Structure formats: structure tokens, C-alpha cells
Amino acid sequence: MNEKLDRLLEHLETFLPKPLTEAQWKSSTAFRWRRRDSIFGSIGFLQPVKHVADITFEDLQNIDRQRDAIRDNTKNFIQKKPANNILLTGARGTGKSSLIKASLHEFASQGLRLVEVEKEHLADLADITELLADRPERFIIFCDDLSFEDGESGYKAMKSALDGSVSAQVDNILIYATSNRRHLLPEYMKDNEGYVHSDDGEIHPGEVVEEKISLSERFGLWLSFYPPKQDEYLAIVSHWLAHFGLSASQIEAARSEALVWALERGSRSGRVAWQFAKHWAGSHA
């Protein structure tokens, strides 16, 4: 009877994600939180990232203030000094998520690790925190392109993780999130109906508005990003073309085409500059 039970348990274990081994913890610098459907329901687990982006702070041009702020904050975190959760907001393609990846590249050798969590899995933040809390490494939970619609479950989980849960914030975990908008919930004109005007002219926002800005305010550090000016965009293009091995004369010859490339896409950004550089270098290197 016991043998049959053991075989049954071994068979059932094949349906469960295996926990990370100590060798995987030590050899991996980045992880993704995944969920797998099984006969026991949906089960979350950490999956090591085999190929980690190797972008550096030096690759990110014309965002010096934001770069220095995230580097200093992450350095403080690694050194076990006080550090803030960070919200990076602004125009698309301007280097928000790249700065977080560059932070990992800079500090991985000092014990920094990155855990990427998709928005639909944010309800698992408490489970993820419990899994990481006893590890010796320092973890940044990375939430990319973060925004919520009314009623999404991940919103309250994120609020509790940042500040508000009955449990204390874990010392070895920070949250870095990117978003294209400062307020992470949509705002509607009807929300303004809750504003109250006092006799002395002071304006008090209503409960709906307060709720919608409360999540953003739980991040200790806000970094804003804006589209680069034309000369800044061309400087980014030049950096990447040089990275791909093009000569100074080849880079100069690419300037007008780089401007046309951005015009056709309707925006100038670090991402557009990178895409153009790959296209141009592939054709002219």
C-alpha cells in the first residue's frame, strides 16, 4: 500500500513546477515569475532567465539625471542602506526599462538579482516576497509597462507590497516599475465631480481621485522621461552606430536618414534610434 502511495505521489510531482536548486539561485541573475496550470490548479514558480540583456549605463544617452538617480538608489540598496521603490514614467522608448536592466548589469556581481513579474501576476506578490525574503541576495521586482483598469486584482496587491500591508516591508526587496502614465489608473472627467471647494478657495480632491493617485504616491522615487530633442536623438544614433563598428564618416552620412526614419515613425526616442542603427549598420557595415 505504501509503495503504491509513493508511486502515486511521484507521479503527481511530475505535474508540479520544481523549486529552484541552490545551483540555479547562484548561477542566475534574473528570473521571471510564471504560472502553470495543473491538476492542483494554477501554480506560480520562478523561472531563471537564460539570456539576460547586457545593456550598460554607458549605452543610455541623454538621460543622465535619471541614470544617476537609479544608480545611486540601487547602490544604496546593495550596500544595505535606505533605498526607495522607483516608478519610471513618461514617453515610450525613452529608456525606462533599459535603465533597470542596466542596473542589473552594473550590480549583479555584488548580489543584485532581478525578478520580472507581469501585471496579470501581481496578485502573487505576497507569495513572491515570501519566497525571496530569506535569500541572501538583493532583489528588484521589475514590473514593466504598468497600468491598471478599475477593479483589477493586481492593483491592491501592489499597494500592499509598497506600503500598507500588515507585514513589514522586506529588507532585501525593492520594486521598480515603468509606466507610460504617472497615475496608474485611468482618470475620467466624472472623477472631478468629487472635488470640494472650501470657502477660502482651497480645493480638496474627492475619494475617487485620491484612490487613483494613491498607488503612484507609494513609490518613494519618481523618474520622468521625455522624448529627446533632435540633436539628442542624433547623438543616440551616433552612439549605436559606433557600437556596431561604423566609421565617423559613415555615421555622418546616416544623419539625414536617421531623421527621416524618426519622422516616418512619428516620434524620436532611444528605441527608434536603436532600431535605425540596427537597420543602417546591417546595410552599411
Side-chain angles (χ1 to χ4, degrees), residues 4-47:
K4 289 183 178 180
L5 181 60
D6 289 340
R7 286 199 299 270
L8 176 61
L9 292 175
E10 288 177 4
H11 178 69
L12 292 176
E13 284 180 356
T14 62
F15 294 95
L16 298 174
K18 294 182 179 179
L20 294 177
T21 65
E22 190 61 27
Q24 288 176 308
W25 280 113
K26 291 185 179 299
S27 63
S28 304
T29 61
F31 306 86
R32 290 191 180 96
W33 181 256
R34 297 294 195 213
R35 294 200 69 85
R36 177 185 297 171
D37 292 330
S38 72
I39 60 175
F40 302 102
S42 182
I43 298 174
F45 62 100
L46 281 177
Q47 180 184 68

Side-chain angles (χ1 to χ4, degrees), residues 188-196 209:
Y188 305 105
M189 183 63 70
K190 64 181 181 181
D191 295 341
N192 295 320
E193 296 172 0
Y195 273 86
V196 176
V209 176

Side-chain angles (χ1 to χ4, degrees), residues 62-180:
N62 298 299
I63 48 174
D64 295 355
R65 181 184 61 82
Q66 297 93 327
R67 180 199 63 204
D68 293 344
I70 197 170
R71 175 188 269 160
D72 291 345
N73 191 76
T74 308
K75 184 177 180 180
N76 289 340
F77 177 56
I78 289 298
Q79 295 177 349
K80 300 184 179 181
K81 298 178 181 178
N84 277 305
N85 300 303
I86 302 180
L87 177 62
L88 302 88
T89 65
R92 63 188 187 276
T94 48
K96 300 185 294 295
S97 60
S98 294
L99 272 179
I100 298 175
K101 297 170 187 174
S103 298
L104 177 64
H105 186 277
E106 179 94 351
F107 297 106
S109 62
Q110 301 176 46
L112 184 67
R113 300 293 181 265
L114 196 70
V115 177
E116 185 174 8
V117 181
E118 297 177 5
K119 185 181 74 170
E120 55 265 32
H121 297 154
L122 286 176
D124 297 337
L125 276 176
D127 294 332
I128 298 170
T129 299
E130 186 174 344
L131 186 62
L132 303 178
D134 295 329
R135 295 293 310 172
E137 301 87 357
R138 314 288 285 175
F139 294 93
I140 288 175
I141 293 179
F142 172 34
C143 306
D144 195 24
D145 197 19
L146 190 63
S147 63
F148 298 98
E149 299 302 322
D150 289 330
E152 286 195 69
S153 60
Y155 175 78
K156 290 187 176 180
M158 176 66 84
K159 282 181 66 175
S160 295
L162 290 167
D163 180 22
S165 171
V166 68
S167 58
Q169 285 188 284
V170 178
D171 177 69
N172 68 331
I173 297 175
L174 284 181
I175 296 176
Y176 286 5
T178 72
S179 178
N180 291 334

Side-chain angles (χ1 to χ4, degrees), residues 182-202:
R182 173 71 64 87
H183 294 161
L184 301 175
L185 277 174
E187 298 175 75
Y188 305 105
M189 183 63 70
K190 64 181 181 181
D191 295 341
N192 295 320
E193 296 172 0
Y195 273 86
V196 176
H197 300 261
S198 60
D199 293 337
D200 59 3
E202 188 176 1

Side-chain angles (χ1 to χ4, degrees), residues 1 50 101 108 124-125 146 150 160 162 229-230 241 249-250 252 270:
M1 182 66 181
K50 293 182 179 180
K101 297 170 187 174
D124 297 337
L125 276 176
L146 190 63
D150 289 330
S160 295
L162 290 167
K229 299 176 183 177
Q230 178 171 297
L241 289 176
S249 59
Q250 289 175 310
E252 182 63 28

